[in-house]
mmCIF file of all heavy atoms in Angstrom:
data_model
loop_
_atom_site.group_PDB
_atom_site.id
_atom_site.type_symbol
_atom_site.label_atom_id
_atom_site.label_comp_id
_atom_site.label_asym_id
_atom_site.label_seq_id
_atom_site.Cartn_x
_atom_site.Cartn_y
_atom_site.Cartn_z
ATOM 1 N N PRO A 473 42.571 31.183 3.419
ATOM 2 C CA PRO A 473 42.898 30.612 4.742
ATOM 3 C C PRO A 473 42.741 31.705 5.766
ATOM 4 O O PRO A 473 42.704 32.983 5.457
ATOM 5 C CB PRO A 473 44.443 30.317 4.635
ATOM 6 C CG PRO A 473 44.681 30.416 3.150
ATOM 7 C CD PRO A 473 43.681 31.211 2.553
ATOM 8 N N PRO A 474 42.670 31.405 7.042
ATOM 9 C CA PRO A 474 42.763 30.047 7.494
ATOM 10 C C PRO A 474 41.510 29.189 7.512
ATOM 11 O O PRO A 474 41.549 27.978 7.736
ATOM 12 C CB PRO A 474 43.133 30.335 9.057
ATOM 13 C CG PRO A 474 42.516 31.575 9.381
ATOM 14 C CD PRO A 474 42.482 32.352 8.087
ATOM 15 N N LEU A 475 40.312 29.802 7.178
ATOM 16 C CA LEU A 475 39.180 29.055 7.067
ATOM 17 C C LEU A 475 39.107 28.165 5.859
ATOM 18 O O LEU A 475 38.805 27.019 6.006
ATOM 19 C CB LEU A 475 37.891 30.079 7.016
ATOM 20 C CG LEU A 475 36.606 29.508 7.279
ATOM 21 C CD1 LEU A 475 36.562 28.713 8.541
ATOM 22 C CD2 LEU A 475 35.572 30.608 7.409
ATOM 23 N N GLY A 476 39.578 28.774 4.779
ATOM 24 C CA GLY A 476 39.562 27.865 3.477
ATOM 25 C C GLY A 476 40.833 27.141 3.341
ATOM 26 O O GLY A 476 41.742 27.132 4.277
ATOM 27 N N PRO A 477 41.038 26.394 2.358
ATOM 28 C CA PRO A 477 42.087 25.569 2.003
ATOM 29 C C PRO A 477 43.369 26.304 2.030
ATOM 30 O O PRO A 477 43.368 27.516 1.531
ATOM 31 C CB PRO A 477 41.780 24.801 0.671
ATOM 32 C CG PRO A 477 40.641 25.583 0.076
ATOM 33 C CD PRO A 477 39.968 26.374 1.168
ATOM 34 N N GLY A 478 44.484 25.771 2.427
ATOM 35 C CA GLY A 478 45.788 26.403 2.422
ATOM 36 C C GLY A 478 46.495 26.493 3.726
ATOM 37 O O GLY A 478 47.586 26.421 3.758
ATOM 38 N N ALA A 479 45.567 26.576 4.730
ATOM 39 C CA ALA A 479 46.156 26.578 6.087
ATOM 40 C C ALA A 479 46.342 25.154 6.571
ATOM 41 O O ALA A 479 45.585 24.255 6.127
ATOM 42 C CB ALA A 479 45.316 27.420 7.053
ATOM 43 N N PRO A 480 47.179 24.916 7.568
ATOM 44 C CA PRO A 480 47.272 23.660 8.233
ATOM 45 C C PRO A 480 45.884 23.323 8.874
ATOM 46 O O PRO A 480 45.263 24.170 9.395
ATOM 47 C CB PRO A 480 48.377 23.762 9.255
ATOM 48 C CG PRO A 480 48.532 25.148 9.433
ATOM 49 C CD PRO A 480 48.172 25.824 8.196
ATOM 50 N N PRO A 481 45.627 21.913 8.858
ATOM 51 C CA PRO A 481 44.341 21.478 9.358
ATOM 52 C C PRO A 481 44.048 22.011 10.791
ATOM 53 O O PRO A 481 42.787 22.320 10.931
ATOM 54 C CB PRO A 481 44.424 20.037 9.304
ATOM 55 C CG PRO A 481 45.805 19.647 8.971
ATOM 56 C CD PRO A 481 46.522 20.847 8.344
ATOM 57 N N VAL A 482 44.917 22.141 11.602
ATOM 58 C CA VAL A 482 44.544 22.504 13.018
ATOM 59 C C VAL A 482 44.102 23.969 12.922
ATOM 60 O O VAL A 482 43.073 24.338 13.649
ATOM 61 C CB VAL A 482 45.768 22.246 14.006
ATOM 62 C CG1 VAL A 482 45.408 22.910 15.361
ATOM 63 C CG2 VAL A 482 46.150 20.820 14.107
ATOM 64 N N GLU A 483 44.685 24.729 12.278
ATOM 65 C CA GLU A 483 44.305 26.121 12.139
ATOM 66 C C GLU A 483 42.920 26.253 11.443
ATOM 67 O O GLU A 483 42.110 27.102 11.785
ATOM 68 C CB GLU A 483 45.303 26.915 11.317
ATOM 69 C CG GLU A 483 46.449 27.365 12.143
ATOM 70 C CD GLU A 483 47.365 28.380 11.462
ATOM 71 O OE1 GLU A 483 46.771 29.277 10.736
ATOM 72 O OE2 GLU A 483 48.603 28.295 11.577
ATOM 73 N N ARG A 484 42.641 25.382 10.464
ATOM 74 C CA ARG A 484 41.395 25.431 9.822
ATOM 75 C C ARG A 484 40.266 24.997 10.794
ATOM 76 O O ARG A 484 39.171 25.545 10.815
ATOM 77 C CB ARG A 484 41.350 24.493 8.590
ATOM 78 C CG ARG A 484 42.317 25.115 7.415
ATOM 79 C CD ARG A 484 42.079 24.358 6.251
ATOM 80 N NE ARG A 484 40.833 24.584 5.617
ATOM 81 C CZ ARG A 484 40.295 23.920 4.537
ATOM 82 N NH1 ARG A 484 41.043 22.941 3.963
ATOM 83 N NH2 ARG A 484 39.175 24.251 3.951
ATOM 84 N N LEU A 485 40.584 24.066 11.540
ATOM 85 C CA LEU A 485 39.682 23.613 12.595
ATOM 86 C C LEU A 485 39.320 24.719 13.540
ATOM 87 O O LEU A 485 38.182 25.102 13.832
ATOM 88 C CB LEU A 485 40.213 22.388 13.341
ATOM 89 C CG LEU A 485 40.186 21.028 12.648
ATOM 90 C CD1 LEU A 485 40.983 20.003 13.416
ATOM 91 C CD2 LEU A 485 38.689 20.520 12.526
ATOM 92 N N ARG A 486 40.331 25.316 14.091
ATOM 93 C CA ARG A 486 40.129 26.551 14.964
ATOM 94 C C ARG A 486 39.194 27.568 14.249
ATOM 95 O O ARG A 486 38.228 27.975 14.826
ATOM 96 C CB ARG A 486 41.558 27.142 15.312
ATOM 97 C CG ARG A 486 42.327 26.447 16.351
ATOM 98 C CD ARG A 486 42.971 27.542 17.103
ATOM 99 N NE ARG A 486 44.000 27.046 18.034
ATOM 100 C CZ ARG A 486 45.236 26.722 17.660
ATOM 101 N NH1 ARG A 486 45.693 26.988 16.442
ATOM 102 N NH2 ARG A 486 46.098 26.219 18.577
ATOM 103 N N ALA A 487 39.531 27.919 13.033
ATOM 104 C CA ALA A 487 38.846 28.945 12.307
ATOM 105 C C ALA A 487 37.434 28.526 12.106
ATOM 106 O O ALA A 487 36.442 29.359 12.188
ATOM 107 C CB ALA A 487 39.540 29.253 11.026
ATOM 108 N N PHE A 488 37.219 27.313 11.856
ATOM 109 C CA PHE A 488 35.828 26.799 11.513
ATOM 110 C C PHE A 488 35.009 27.016 12.772
ATOM 111 O O PHE A 488 33.906 27.629 12.638
ATOM 112 C CB PHE A 488 35.828 25.310 11.186
ATOM 113 C CG PHE A 488 34.565 24.787 10.736
ATOM 114 C CD1 PHE A 488 34.120 24.827 9.497
ATOM 115 C CD2 PHE A 488 33.720 24.149 11.690
ATOM 116 C CE1 PHE A 488 32.861 24.323 9.177
ATOM 117 C CE2 PHE A 488 32.499 23.659 11.510
ATOM 118 C CZ PHE A 488 32.014 23.749 10.126
ATOM 119 N N GLY A 489 35.438 26.550 13.952
ATOM 120 C CA GLY A 489 34.656 26.771 15.083
ATOM 121 C C GLY A 489 34.379 28.178 15.480
ATOM 122 O O GLY A 489 33.194 28.528 15.759
ATOM 123 N N ILE A 490 35.317 28.948 15.361
ATOM 124 C CA ILE A 490 35.215 30.366 15.654
ATOM 125 C C ILE A 490 34.073 30.944 14.737
ATOM 126 O O ILE A 490 33.182 31.740 15.189
ATOM 127 C CB ILE A 490 36.518 31.148 15.615
ATOM 128 C CG1 ILE A 490 37.612 30.433 16.460
ATOM 129 C CG2 ILE A 490 36.293 32.686 15.935
ATOM 130 C CD1 ILE A 490 37.223 30.485 17.967
#
Side-chain angles (χ1 to χ4, degrees):
Chain A
L475 194 52
V482 174
E483 278 190 40
R484 293 190 70 188
L485 284 170
R486 280 214 189 90
F488 184 88
I490 304 298

